Amino acid sequence: MRVELISVGTELLLGDIVNTNTAYLSKELAALGLGVFRQTTVGDNRERLLKTLESAFLENDTVIITGGLGPTDDDITKECAAEYFGRDFYFHEYSWVKILERLTRSGRNVITDNNKKQAMIPEGAIVLENFCGTAPGIIIEENNKRIILMPGPPREMRDMFEKSVKPYLEKYSKKKFISKYVRFYGIGESLLETKIKDIMDRQTNPTLALYAKTGEVLLRITASSENKTECEEMINRQLEEIERREGVGEYIYLVGDENISNSQTELNSAVANFLIENNYTISIAESLTGGKIASMLVEKSGISDSLLEGIVCYSNKSKITTLGVKEETLEKFGAVSEEVAREMALGVAKRLNSDFAVATTGIAGPNSDESGKPVGLVYIAIYAQGEVTVKECLFVGDRDLIRFRTSVEALNEVRKNILKKL
């Protein structure tokens, strides 16, 4: 099976909406062993969509279209698909009943005639129920060609794919494709590629791909076979070789499925899991990061038993009164200094007697402070069961990037210190 993905909607071409559907579908189809050979975006225009369909079927036997199934006149996807295959429409009573039920539940008291458009189905088509919206999905088959239509809203599309389209496509899949993702922190993409270049050069099955994240690197390992067990065994053998490689394995902080692949970092989840699983507690004192570290940790459910408190101590007065930083330390070394970071970490740890603590102070920019220290200078202090270490960093970027890089670096330092105590 050769697949082309078509996304319909002028709003996509204008950049008003980010197209997440193609990324999701490409990953899901790859897992089924079905190749996506092209992705196309087209506006709400009948002639251009018909031409796109003609072009798609010159090289592919399956076209999956998302979007353009709404009740308004500019929703023309279903009409174009029916025209391409020469199908007339009929009124699908079951779909109409479901549309009325959903509209009524949502508080719509007035049902307009154009809502009936969504219940009009091309003759001979397979109807896919929409459990999250009003527009049913449709599959039209003819002469070993097929068009699969799904709604554009990601929540509706994903639910329909999982419940209806995926089971339909599985019968066309001869092989299973499984991917595992490896996250690295502290090593750049270029250096990592250099260290595993021999592995990359000889890759066949499994295949490897590197992706740069903000301050991190993501490695995807994908294996194909007729069964899941063989795929997992091939992936694990490849992963073990990478983990043993000198100057590589120590930078791995997380291995998982596609759920860990999309974000810029998963260090917050990794650290939260370490804290929760080992019954450790942590306190946080943040100056330039302004609560960002605490915010990242609380994204993890269950962290309330471990995160005792997070303090934003932006001013010197707050550092003194809340954390017990000495006035003479601030006067002698300045707020952005190793000495102040150390006292901040000790102070916040002592407040509630936490096992670990992290403190940040630095200059996020865009301008330096009165001390003349450079923008991007950061001090991260870690308290680990009585011991305090301070790391000096110099980050490059705008204010938001420096704050983000500081937060992630701080989380990584917490992670490393927890590992030392295990």
Side-chain angles (χ1 to χ4, degrees):
M1 177 180 282
R2 294 174 62 95
V3 182
E4 176 158 342
L5 302 179
I6 299 177
S7 305
V8 177
T10 302
E11 66 276 12
L12 296 172
L13 295 175
L14 294 175
D16 292 334
I17 295 177
V18 177
N19 187 358
T20 60
N21 288 344
T22 53
Y24 170 83
L25 288 172
S26 293
K27 283 187 177 181
E28 290 295 324
L29 293 169
L32 291 173
L34 303 176
V36 175
F37 288 83
R38 187 164 58 186
Q39 299 175 358
T40 305
T41 302
V42 62
D44 302 306
N45 182 282
R46 173 184 167 276
E47 291 184 6
R48 284 195 284 271
L49 181 51
L50 285 171
K51 287 181 180 179
T52 301
L53 283 172
E54 291 174 3
S55 173
F57 280 116
L58 290 175
E59 299 177 338
N60 307 287
D61 52 38
T62 303
V63 174
I64 299 177
I65 307 179
T66 56
L69 298 181
T72 61
D73 289 340
D74 63 349
D75 291 306
I76 44 85
T77 299
K78 181 170 54 179
E79 288 72 19
C80 289
E83 182 176 343
Y84 181 83
F85 280 133
R87 306 289 181 92
D88 291 327
F89 286 89
Y90 73 99
F91 185 71
H92 194 246
E93 288 286 351
Y94 180 81
S95 292
W96 179 237
V97 170
K98 291 298 178 180
I99 291 169
L100 289 176
E101 287 178 357
R102 180 161 290 278
L103 291 175
T104 301
R105 285 199 306 269
S106 65
R108 288 276 294 275
N109 297 320
V110 179
I111 308 299
T112 57
D113 288 338
N114 63 354
N115 287 120
K116 290 185 177 181
K117 176 184 175 183
Q118 291 182 303
M120 298 302 294
I121 304 296
E123 291 180 347
I126 300 170
V127 181
L128 311 176
E129 186 170 347
N130 188 340
F131 295 95
C132 300
T134 56
I138 292 167
I139 300 176
I140 309 175
E141 301 173 314
E142 187 169 304
N143 297 327
N144 293 320
K145 295 180 179 180
R146 62 201 59 82
I147 297 178
I148 302 172
L149 309 180
M150 290 186 288
R155 177 170 171 267
E156 297 180 33
M157 185 276 296
R158 294 187 181 198
D159 184 78
M160 185 177 291
F161 182 87
E162 285 293 329
K163 292 177 178 176
S164 303
V165 177
K166 186 175 182 179
Y168 169 83
L169 291 173
E170 282 177 339
K171 62 186 178 183
Y172 296 100
S173 176
K174 296 179 181 179
K175 283 189 174 183
K176 295 293 183 184
F177 282 69
I178 294 179
S179 294
K180 187 169 283 188
Y181 295 84
V182 187
R183 300 203 69 131
F184 297 80
Y185 187 86
I187 185 171
E189 182 185 15
S190 298
L191 181 56
L192 177 57
E193 183 180 38
T194 300
K195 288 183 175 293
I196 61 171
K197 190 176 188 304
D198 59 313
I199 301 175
M200 299 284 288
D201 288 344
R202 69 171 187 263
Q203 62 176 304
T204 52
N205 186 21
T207 61
L208 288 77
L210 291 171
Y211 305 91
K213 298 288 185 176
T214 304
E216 297 188 17
V217 183
L218 179 72
L219 171 66
R220 189 199 72 222
I221 308 174
T222 301
S224 63
S225 182
E226 293 182 356
N227 64 75
K228 181 179 179 182
T229 301
E230 287 184 4
C231 287
E232 291 177 341
E233 288 175 352
M234 286 190 286
I235 290 173
N236 289 335
R237 285 196 297 270
Q238 186 67 89
L239 179 58
E240 288 171 4
E241 182 181 4
I242 293 170
E243 288 176 330
R244 292 194 302 267
R245 184 62 57 94
E246 184 179 354
V248 174
E250 61 262 38
Y251 296 106
I252 296 174
Y253 75 85
L254 190 63
V255 178
D257 60 18
E258 64 177 19
N259 291 321
I260 72 164
S261 67
N262 294 321
S263 62
Q264 289 300 318
T265 186
E266 288 289 328
L267 273 166
N268 52 332
S269 294
V271 170
N273 286 332
F274 272 142
L275 292 167
I276 295 168
E277 291 168 3
N278 295 284
N279 296 315
Y280 286 143
T281 56
I282 189 170
S283 300
I284 306 171
E286 302 183 64
S287 184
L288 87 157
T289 47
K292 197 170 187 66
I293 299 171
S295 178
M296 292 173 74
L297 282 179
V298 298
E299 290 178 12
K300 175 67 176 179
S301 175
I303 194 63
S304 57
D305 291 332
S306 295
L307 178 56
L308 299 185
E309 68 176 344
I311 298 172
V312 177
C313 44
Y314 215 71
S315 67
N316 286 350
K317 184 176 181 180
S318 176
K319 292 178 177 69
I320 294 167
T321 59
T322 309
L323 301 179
V325 175
K326 301 182 182 66
E327 284 190 54
E328 52 266 34
T329 304
L330 284 162
E331 291 173 0
K332 183 176 181 179
F333 300 102
V336 180
S337 63
E338 175 184 339
E339 292 77 10
V340 167
R342 183 181 298 274
E343 292 186 14
M344 288 171 64
L346 279 168
V348 76
K350 289 179 179 179
R351 281 172 55 89
L352 297 177
N353 195 31
S354 58
D355 298 310
F356 295 87
V358 56
T360 62
T361 182
I363 304 172
N367 301 314
S368 180
D369 61 7
E370 63 278 1
S371 69
K373 295 174 182 177
V375 171
L377 178 64
V378 170
Y379 291 94
I380 299 168
I382 304 295
Y383 172 91
Q385 296 178 332
E387 300 177 5
V388 181
T389 57
V390 182
K391 183 173 185 177
E392 179 184 302
C393 304
L394 186 61
F395 295 119
V396 177
D398 61 18
R399 184 176 180 85
D400 288 341
L401 181 58
I402 290 171
R403 293 177 64 241
F404 176 79
R405 290 293 305 276
T406 302
S407 301
V408 174
E409 186 72 31
L411 287 168
N412 190 54
E413 288 300 308
V414 173
R415 180 186 69 88
K416 292 194 296 185
N417 276 273
I418 293 176
L419 286 173
K420 290 178 183 177
K421 300 298 181 180
L422 294 180

